[in-house]
Amino acid sequence: MAPEAPEDRERVACVELPALPLQLLLREQPQWRALPVAVVEADRPQAKLLWVNEHARALRVLPGMRLAAARSLAPQLRASVVPEAQISAAIDALFSLLSGFSPRVEPQQNEPGTLWVDPSGMCLLWGDLEQWAESVSAALSQQGLLAAVVVGFHRFRCQAIARSRPALEPSVYVLADPRREARLAAGVPLDRLGFSPTLRDELAGLGVHTLGEFMALPRAELRARFGVEAQRLHARGGDDDWAPMQPRAFVDPIRDHVQLDPPEEKLERLLFRIKPALEGLLRRLADRGAAMSRLRLTLELDHADGQAHLLEPAAPTLDAMQLLELLRLRLEAIGAGLPAGVETFTLELEGQRSDPRQIALFRAQQKRDLEAGERALARLRALFGPESVSVAALAPAHLPEARFCWTPLTRLAYPDPQRMQVDGELPPRVRRLLPRPRRLAATDEALRPGERLDPSLGVIARMQGPFRASGGWWVRQVEREYYYAEIDGREGEAEILWVFYDRPRRRWYLHGWLA
C-alpha cells in the first residue's frame, strides 16, 4: 500500500537552533570556535554550565557541571554569560524571519532555540515540503546561524531528531512515514534532549542512554522511581501526546492621525502637540506587552510637499521623552524651521515584544511625580510669594461661602478617596461659586418650569429643592432656601444653576453652578 502524501496528514515542522545562546556567543567571539566553549548562568566559579559545544563534549564537559569542575577537565574552556535580553531579541528576530515562511510560528517556552512552524499549504508556494524546508534552512544560514529543520508528525520526536546530530552544518529532514520518525527518534541519546543532569545520570546507571530505551520503561513506575520530570518526559514521547499549535500573534503597527487647526509652524508647539499622541500610542503598545522599535512620522504641510520621517531607537523603548528628543533632532535637521505650517500629522509605531520588567517600569512611571510637582510649586512661591500657592480647606460654618478657606500648601499628596465624602456625597458635587451671590430679577417665592429666574438666563426646565440653610442670627438674620435649577441652554444643552431664595429679603440669588 502506498504511503499517504505529505499533505494528507497534519504536519509540524521543528526548527531547532542547537544551543542558540552558544551560537550567539560564538557569533560575537568567532576566535573561540576551535576551542571548548560554554555558556554559564553567572560569572563565578561555582556557576552551572547551561550549553556547551562539541569540543567541550569531547572532553567530557556536559551541561549541569560547575564551571570550576569543567575547567579541571578542559583547561582551555572559554565561558561567558549571555544575557536574557539578548536571547529574547534573537528569538524575536527568528520569529520575524520564519513568519515569512508560515503565518503560524510558535517559539517553544523555556527552550530558547526551538520554534514550531506550521507547514500546511506551503507546497502551493514552494513546490514541495523539501524545498520549503531547504529555504528555511538557507535563510537561517544567511543570518550566521546553524539549524536543523525537521518536518514530521510528532512534536517531541521531531525535536529529538533535530537534536540528534552535532550542529556542524545545516540539516533538513522531511519524514513521510510516522513509523520512520519513531525509529529515528528512538536512537537519540538522552543527553541531547534536555534531561536534567540528575535524571540523566540515574538513567545511565540503569543502562538507559537513548530515547527508545527510556520509552520502553514502564510508565506506571516512573514517577515513584525517578520523579515527576521522568513521568512528564515519558508522556511527551508517547503516541497519544498531542498539543495544538499556539502561534505567537503579530504585533501590528498602531497609528494615530491628528489634524491641527490652525496649521502649526513652530517646531516647539508641534512637538507639544505630538507628545500626547505619542504617549497614548506607547500605552497601547505596553498593553500588548511590547515596546516601540520603529517610529514613522508623516507630516502634511500647508501649501508645501509633505514629509515622512523614520526613527529607530538604539533599543526598543517606551520612553516618550527620548523619542521626542530624537524627533526634535530630526526635524531641526530640516533647517531653521518648518517650510510651512503642519496641517495634519500621522504617528505610526511598530512594536517588539519586551521584557515584562520594562513594561512594569513604564507603568510605574505613569504615576504623578510628587517631587517634580513640589519643585515647580517652590518656583512659584519664590516668584510670587508664599501665599501664591494655596489650597481650599473645609471650615465649620453654616453658610456655603464660609465653609472653606484658603491655606498655604506645604506638601503635595495623592488624592485619598476616603476623604472625598462631603455631606454624604461621594464623590461630592463640584460647585463653582461666585465671589458674591448675584441678584436675580425674579421676586416670586414659587417658580415653576417654563418661567425665568432672570432675562439673561434660559427657561427653567426642572428645579430640585429646597435645601434650607440658616445662621448668622447674632449678626444679621440669614435664612436661605437653595435649589438646583436646570436651565434649558443654547442648542439643547442644559445647565444646572445653584440658586437660593433669600426669605428675609424676598429675592432670588445666583450663588454658582454645578461643573
Side-chain angles (χ1 to χ4, degrees), residues 39-50 64-70 81:
V39 175
V40 292
E41 61 181 359
D43 189 12
R44 59 175 186 269
Q46 293 304 312
K48 289 184 179 180
L49 306 187
L50 301 178
M65 284 185 174
R66 303 289 180 178
L67 178 57
V81 178

Side-chain angles (χ1 to χ4, degrees), residues 24-39:
L24 298 176
L25 176 60
L26 291 176
R27 192 164 61 176
E28 291 183 353
Q29 304 288 344
Q31 69 276 13
W32 290 359
R33 293 186 180 276
L35 299 172
V37 182
V39 175

Side-chain angles (χ1 to χ4, degrees), residues 264-508:
E264 188 56 68
E265 298 180 353
K266 296 294 185 180
L267 177 58
E268 293 77 9
R269 292 201 295 260
L270 175 62
L271 291 174
F272 185 79
R273 298 294 299 271
I274 291 176
K275 183 175 184 290
L278 177 61
E279 291 175 341
L281 293 177
L282 291 175
R283 283 192 292 270
R284 289 169 58 186
L285 274 181
D287 292 340
R288 297 181 178 187
M292 196 219 74
S293 59
R294 180 178 296 180
L295 179 148
R296 184 176 290 102
L297 173 65
T298 305
L299 303 177
E300 296 181 13
L301 305 181
D302 183 19
H303 303 297
D305 294 335
Q307 297 179 358
H309 303 278
L310 182 64
L311 293 177
E312 294 187 13
T317 181
L318 292 168
D319 189 346
M321 299 310 297
Q322 174 190 348
L323 297 174
L324 286 173
E325 178 64 16
L326 293 176
L327 279 175
R328 183 186 65 81
L329 294 174
R330 174 60 61 85
L331 295 176
E332 283 181 348
I334 299 174
L338 295 169
V342 178
E343 292 184 327
T344 60
F345 69 84
T346 302
L347 273 177
E348 181 179 292
L349 271 58
E350 295 183 14
Q352 180 175 315
R353 277 173 175 75
S354 179
D355 189 338
R357 292 172 293 183
Q358 183 183 15
I359 304 298
L361 179 61
F362 169 75
R363 298 196 185 283
Q365 291 175 344
Q366 299 301 306
K367 297 181 180 179
R368 298 172 182 174
D369 190 344
L370 297 184
E371 293 183 0
E374 290 182 350
R375 290 195 297 268
L377 296 180
R379 297 189 188 99
L380 292 176
R381 295 190 194 98
L383 185 60
F384 300 106
E387 302 295 331
S388 61
V389 180
S390 301
V391 63
L394 296 179
H398 290 82
L399 300 181
E401 59 266 31
R403 295 193 63 182
F404 69 93
C405 60
W406 295 101
T407 59
L409 178 63
T410 56
R411 292 190 63 84
L412 289 176
Y414 292 116
D416 184 2
Q418 302 301 324
R419 299 177 58 186
M420 293 180 62
Q421 184 168 345
V422 179
D423 291 342
E425 299 175 2
L426 183 64
R429 296 185 180 95
V430 179
R431 300 173 178 88
R432 304 296 186 187
L433 298 186
L434 296 172
R436 294 187 63 181
R438 176 185 138 196
R439 184 174 174 176
L440 300 175
T443 57
D444 293 342
E445 177 181 349
L447 291 177
R448 299 174 180 84
E451 299 180 352
R452 291 178 181 269
L453 286 162
D454 195 85
S456 62
L457 301 175
V459 177
I460 298 175
R462 281 178 292 276
M463 290 188 70
Q464 182 181 357
F467 304 93
R468 293 180 172 86
S470 61
W473 53 265
W474 52 92
V475 178
R476 64 174 181 170
Q477 184 180 2
V478 176
E479 187 176 348
R480 301 175 180 174
E481 296 177 354
Y482 278 89
Y483 292 84
Y484 295 106
E486 184 176 337
I487 305 297
D488 287 336
R490 298 177 181 177
E491 299 180 359
E493 295 182 358
E495 184 177 13
I496 299 179
L497 304 181
W498 197 38
V499 298
F500 67 87
Y501 180 74
D502 192 323
R503 185 163 293 279
R505 294 165 183 78
R506 297 183 179 181
R507 303 290 308 202
W508 284 92

Side-chain angles (χ1 to χ4, degrees), residues 41 83 105 111 124-125 241 268 475 504:
E41 61 181 359
V105 180
E111 293 188 28
L124 297 176
L125 298 175
D241 179 75
E268 293 77 9
V475 178

Side-chain angles (χ1 to χ4, degrees), residues 5-60:
E7 292 295 331
D8 293 336
R9 291 177 178 268
E10 185 175 356
R11 295 298 193 98
V12 64
C14 176
V15 178
E16 180 72 24
L17 292 94
L20 175 61
L22 184 62
Q23 292 198 48
L24 298 176
L25 176 60
L26 291 176
R27 192 164 61 176
E28 291 183 353
Q29 304 288 344
Q31 69 276 13
W32 290 359
R33 293 186 180 276
L35 299 172
V37 182
V39 175
V40 292
E41 61 181 359
D43 189 12
R44 59 175 186 269
Q46 293 304 312
K48 289 184 179 180
L49 306 187
L50 301 178
W51 293 275
V52 299
N53 67 349
E54 295 302 321
H55 297 292
R57 288 180 181 272
L59 298 174
R60 296 180 298 167

